[in-house]
Amino acid sequence: MPDPADWWRDAVVYQVYPRSFADSDGDGTGDLGGVVRRLPYLAELGVDALWLSPFYTSPLADGGYDVADYRDVDPRFGSLADFDALVAGAHERGLRVIVDLVPNHTSSEHPWFQEALQGRGKDRYIFRDEPNDWESIFGGPAWTQAPDGSYYLHLFAPEQPDLNWDHPEVRAEFRSILRFWLDRGVDGFRVDVAHGMVKAAGLPDVGPKEGRQAEMLGDEQVPYFDQDGVHEIYREWRPILDSYPGGRMAVAEAWVSSPARLARYVGPDELHQAFNFEFMMAGFDAKSFREVIDRSLAEAEIVGAPTTWVLSNHDKPRHVTRHGSLARARAATLLMLALPGSAYLYQGEELGLDEVLDLPDELREDPAFLRTGESRDGCRVPLPWSGTQAEGFGFGPAGSAAPWLPQPASWAALTAAAQEGDPGSTLTLYREALRLRKAHPALGLGSIEWVQAPEEVLVLRREPGFTLVTNTGETPVTLSALGLAGEVLLASGPMAGETVPPDTTVWLAR
Ligand code: NOJ
């Protein structure tokens, strides 16, 4: 019997981006009350946990990843009472709740930064007389001049000054913030920029490079990411998490150069998990999927922790668009949900939503947009729940203000209500997949076995009695040609007899 405190090892976690999930008060912005109203939907979907992107007091210079008060809810998103109702309602339905923790930087509106601008407590941030050559991830220099003439570091927007993690007060503050939310009953944390808090001593230049520094991340070490010192912070946090009952966990958002570097964030004395973005970055072909899966599982095994899988989140184009079609997205999802480890879903992927590519520039809010021309707004468009476009697809109650970003007319067929009860809908596919994953608990745990198959086809054997076929090629394959038989439990697209068409995943009982 697995220990219930280990719930996160094979959990399916649903990411809620509160601003765009559901609006309960009709102002066009999603809120915690909207999440509470939709808890029955999430329970019926069959996920194990919710991860809430930031809902804290914030000027929303970066969609809430610029926190001005770590212990309160922004009035646009509700109140602490709404948060408590959300946790209680989720727990009643057996859903765990993970909150986002943003320790690399605060908002420039945070009282500490406001004090620093007045010359008090400047050493809680990173001020220098002269900038170095570091660039912001959102484009442009990572330094902005303060009114007193000095420069402060911001790896993201100027409204997100980086904290100085060499300062004991900063460390103590975050230990206290962890306890604040643990005491309110949260089951875990998603740690934002978990690879960023500690910078190389002396803040050395990166040196001349072709192109933007952000583009080399992932291949090369830079002096502001993935420094050894970050691991000390997690070793301070882990005993705090472990001191609470019921299996409180933390998952790292860490963009590092290899699965081996990523594995260093995870273990019994650091964080429980780290997002495995390699799977999200893989192309839709059997070879890439297989390589990433093998590498991820091998690294995870070394540290004795399960890996994680992600296909979409609030920072990357939705996987329907990235992989080029809904059929491929559905096939990739069924592949992901049959792998050992935990899976993170992003709100709206269960509806098969695509990236909204034609938002008018003047409505885009992503701080990266003005600096790089790239914007993440297209995956943050408010969800379509029901009804017509003119009614905001039921994002808020009748008569609400228009959703804060416009929804495309093509979503009329993709509302949750339109998909309800339709056996071919993506919503039904996700519900079925999650139901089957629960019915076969071994799917989320254990190891995998590849079965010999043509180059464009993946055949994966899982627990006794479960086989997966993904056809990423251009020609159909038959189960018998693969040496397979057995009952089809679920298919991501229509099968003709025992033929698996291109861009399709099939789950077989066998
Ligand atoms: C990662 C978050 O996912 C992203 O949305 C945010 O812009 C950056 N961290 C900075 O906090």
Side-chain angles (χ1 to χ4, degrees):
M1 227 357 228
D3 184 345
D6 280 348
W7 64 271
W8 45 273
R9 289 185 166 266
D10 60 345
V12 177
V13 183
Y14 183 98
Q15 181 189 357
V16 171
Y17 192 75
R19 194 179 186 186
S20 303
F21 183 69
D23 171 17
S24 68
D25 61 7
D27 64 357
T29 293
D31 46 40
L32 298 184
V35 185
V36 173
R37 271 190 43 215
R38 299 292 180 179
L39 285 172
Y41 169 86
L42 295 171
E44 197 184 339
L45 183 59
V47 297
D48 302 298
L50 317 181
W51 148 33
L52 299 168
S53 273
F55 48 79
Y56 314 109
T57 314
S58 166
L60 302 187
D62 182 22
Y65 284 94
D66 49 320
V67 180
D69 183 347
Y70 287 86
R71 295 184 184 79
D72 207 351
V73 176
D74 192 278
R76 280 166 286 196
F77 299 136
S79 63
L80 280 172
D82 293 329
F83 179 81
D84 292 341
L86 194 166
V87 172
H91 284 171
E92 260 167 40
R93 292 173 170 81
L95 297 167
R96 311 261 182 169
V97 179
I98 297 174
V99 295
D100 224 301
L101 185 73
V102 189
N104 180 68
H105 43 265
T106 68
S107 158
S108 51
E109 302 282 310
H110 190 284
W112 276 2
F113 193 71
Q114 288 299 311
E115 276 178 29
L117 292 181
Q118 308 295 321
R120 283 173 292 136
K122 276 179 87 171
D123 53 352
R124 295 186 190 117
Y125 293 89
I126 303 175
F127 279 88
R128 290 216 336 188
D129 292 339
E130 294 296 332
N132 64 10
D133 72 352
W134 296 0
E135 291 170 7
S136 153
I137 306 305
F138 293 158
W143 298 87
T144 288
Q145 199 162 23
D148 70 358
S150 60
Y151 290 82
Y152 68 90
L153 177 71
H154 52 86
L155 291 179
F156 295 88
E159 295 87 350
Q160 294 167 294
D162 278 51
L163 285 163
N164 171 17
W165 275 83
D166 288 334
H167 198 304
E169 240 186 285
V170 170
R171 292 188 178 236
E173 174 66 353
F174 276 87
R175 289 194 301 266
S176 153
I177 293 167
L178 283 177
R179 290 185 185 284
F180 178 86
W181 293 102
L182 289 165
D183 289 339
R184 291 199 107 83
V186 306
D187 300 285
F189 297 90
R190 175 265 190 193
V191 183
D192 187 61
V193 202
H195 54 313
M197 287 106 94
V198 173
K199 281 74 181 176
L203 313 185
D205 279 346
V206 171
K209 294 281 169 201
E210 269 186 36
R212 288 181 50 216
Q213 283 173 15
E215 274 148 26
M216 60 187 249
L217 301 174
D219 300 323
E220 286 180 54
Q221 191 84 10
V222 285
Y224 43 83
F225 281 150
D226 199 21
Q227 302 295 308
D228 288 346
V230 290
H231 298 287
E232 264 170 46
I233 300 173
Y234 303 130
R235 288 195 284 266
E236 266 179 32
W237 288 2
R238 183 58 181 260
I240 301 179
L241 293 167
D242 287 347
S243 71
Y244 283 77
R248 316 290 177 107
M249 55 75 80
V251 52
E253 185 230 12
W255 291 86
V256 296
S257 54
S258 66
R261 298 291 301 182
L262 190 64
R264 299 174 77 230
Y265 288 76
V266 165
D269 62 344
E270 293 205 25
L271 303 177
H272 298 70
Q273 296 184 320
F275 289 130
N276 167 16
F277 292 125
E278 280 214 55
F279 187 65
M280 178 161 78
M281 303 315 271
F284 189 86
D285 66 87
K287 190 163 169 276
S288 312
F289 280 139
R290 187 175 164 153
E291 279 173 8
V292 169
I293 292 168
D294 280 342
R295 216 174 23 241
S296 310
L297 292 175
E299 292 299 339
E301 201 174 305
I302 292 172
V303 289
T307 190
T308 61
W309 310 102
V310 189
L311 281 166
S312 282
N313 65 25
H314 66 297
D315 287 333
K316 293 285 173 214
R318 286 185 176 278
H319 68 284
V320 168
T321 306
R322 242 184 27 247
H323 285 318
S325 70
L326 178 59
R328 286 183 166 194
R330 291 166 53 117
T333 297
L334 284 202
L335 171 60
M336 171 169 83
L337 292 176
L339 294 173
S342 63
Y344 284 77
L345 309 179
Y346 177 51
Q347 64 178 37
E349 70 171 82
E350 78 282 13
L351 303 175
L353 299 187
D354 49 343
E355 185 76 3
V356 182
L357 298 171
D358 59 355
L359 288 171
D361 286 354
E362 64 278 13
L363 296 182
R364 292 184 187 267
E365 291 210 5
D366 183 350
F369 179 61
L370 286 180
R371 298 171 179 88
T372 64
E374 280 168 33
S375 136
R376 298 166 292 174
D377 296 292
C379 60
R380 300 175 179 179
V381 172
L383 289 195
W385 289 98
S386 60
T388 65
Q389 188 191 24
E391 297 160 339
F393 291 128
F395 180 61
S400 293
W404 71 277
L405 281 175
Q407 303 151 313
S410 58
W411 282 6
L414 299 180
T415 66
Q419 298 195 39
E420 184 68 53
D422 172 356
S425 76
T426 302
L427 181 57
T428 302
L429 180 75
Y430 271 72
R431 283 184 183 153
E432 269 299 287
L434 295 177
R435 190 186 61 74
L436 285 165
R437 191 175 151 108
K438 280 223 167 79
H440 296 256
L443 273 188
L445 304 165
S447 55
I448 64 169
E449 187 194 326
W450 295 109
V451 179
Q452 190 69 30
E455 207 184 338
E456 299 294 340
V457 180
L458 294 174
V459 179
L460 191 60
R461 194 151 289 148
R462 296 300 325 279
E463 61 164 20
F466 186 98
T467 303
L468 166 144
V469 180
T470 299
N471 182 3
T472 66
E474 286 173 5
T475 40
V477 285
T478 60
L479 295 176
S480 45
L482 297 169
L484 301 173
E487 179 205 349
V488 173
L489 293 170
L490 191 61
S492 67
M495 287 179 71
E498 55 133 27
T499 300
V500 184
D503 301 338
T504 304
T505 294
V506 178
W507 288 3
L508 295 171
R510 187 210 131 110

